[in-house]
Amino acid sequence: MEENFFERVYAIAKQIPEGKVTSYGAIAKALGTARSARMVGWAMNASHNRDDIPAHRVVNRKGLLSGKHHFEGTNLMQQLLENEGIKVVDNQIVDFEKYFWNPEIIR
């Protein structure tokens, strides 16, 4: 069950366009499990050995880089986002709504 759920999470994460972000809760809601944002976080944490998962594009519901400590280096998550044109100040995405991608619209 968990493996299948993680793969469903990864299928959505792979669709996040470059220069956009989404939240753990938005992915959970798109999967029909709105109360499982934490499990989406676990899936993202487990994906760091996979280059095909853009885990840096998944943040918390307020645009905070809550998963940044799971990336190598102190500011790697921020650097990856900034390389895509997303401004980050104090571990939070500036103009979060502007960069937010809703996976429910695509599904």
Side-chain angles (χ1 to χ4, degrees):
M1 152 88 180
E2 183 177 292
E3 183 75 27
N4 185 30
F5 179 79
F6 281 19
E7 290 304 320
R8 290 170 57 213
V9 169
Y10 300 154
I12 291 177
K14 289 178 185 179
Q15 297 177 55
I16 305 168
E18 185 172 326
K20 294 289 184 178
V21 294
T22 196
S23 68
Y24 303 105
I27 291 176
K29 189 174 180 186
L31 292 173
T33 56
R35 300 182 69 190
S36 296
R38 183 163 291 167
M39 282 192 67
V40 172
W42 293 339
M44 289 293 100
N45 294 342
S47 74
H48 289 291
N49 60 343
R50 295 182 54 169
D51 293 334
D52 62 329
I53 310 296
H56 65 283
R57 296 183 188 147
V58 184
V59 298
N60 84 359
R61 63 187 171 89
K62 296 180 180 178
L64 286 169
L65 310 190
S66 54
K68 77 175 208 147
H69 57 279
H70 294 285
F71 287 81
E72 290 183 22
T74 48
N75 288 316
L76 181 58
M77 185 178 188
Q78 179 172 336
Q79 290 168 348
L80 291 168
L81 290 169
E82 288 176 342
N83 289 346
E84 296 183 11
I86 299 172
K87 186 174 181 182
V88 178
V89 174
D90 293 330
N91 297 316
Q92 186 162 13
I93 294 172
V94 177
D95 295 327
F96 178 55
E97 302 79 23
K98 175 182 171 184
Y99 298 106
F100 183 78
W101 176 80
N102 187 345
E104 283 198 290
I105 294 172
I106 302 301
R107 313 228 27 92

